[in-house]
Amino acid sequence: MLPAQPAHPAAVEANEAIRALVDAQAGQDWSPVESAAYEVLLIEWAAATQGTAGDIIEAA
């Protein structure tokens, strides 16, 4: 088994911000601003995690 690679700092920061936003809005309707902030954080997280897994194989 390969050792886990340390997460990219930007991915960790974006993930923490996503969790904080989701936790703060738990059980509440999201405003358009909160929804937009969530979308931006998801894009930041996705960009930060691209190419870090190394062992992802694209399906044929």
Side-chain angles (χ1 to χ4, degrees):
M1 182 179 262
L2 296 174
Q5 295 180 4
H8 191 279
V12 172
E13 289 178 24
N15 191 45
E16 289 174 356
I18 290 167
R19 288 181 186 271
L21 180 62
V22 170
D23 287 346
Q25 298 305 316
Q28 301 177 24
D29 290 336
W30 288 35
S31 72
V33 171
E34 291 159 343
S35 294
Y38 179 73
E39 185 174 339
V40 168
L41 289 170
L42 287 179
I43 292 168
E44 290 175 2
W45 175 84
T49 58
Q50 289 231 321
T52 59
D55 59 350
I56 295 175
I57 300 170
E58 187 174 333

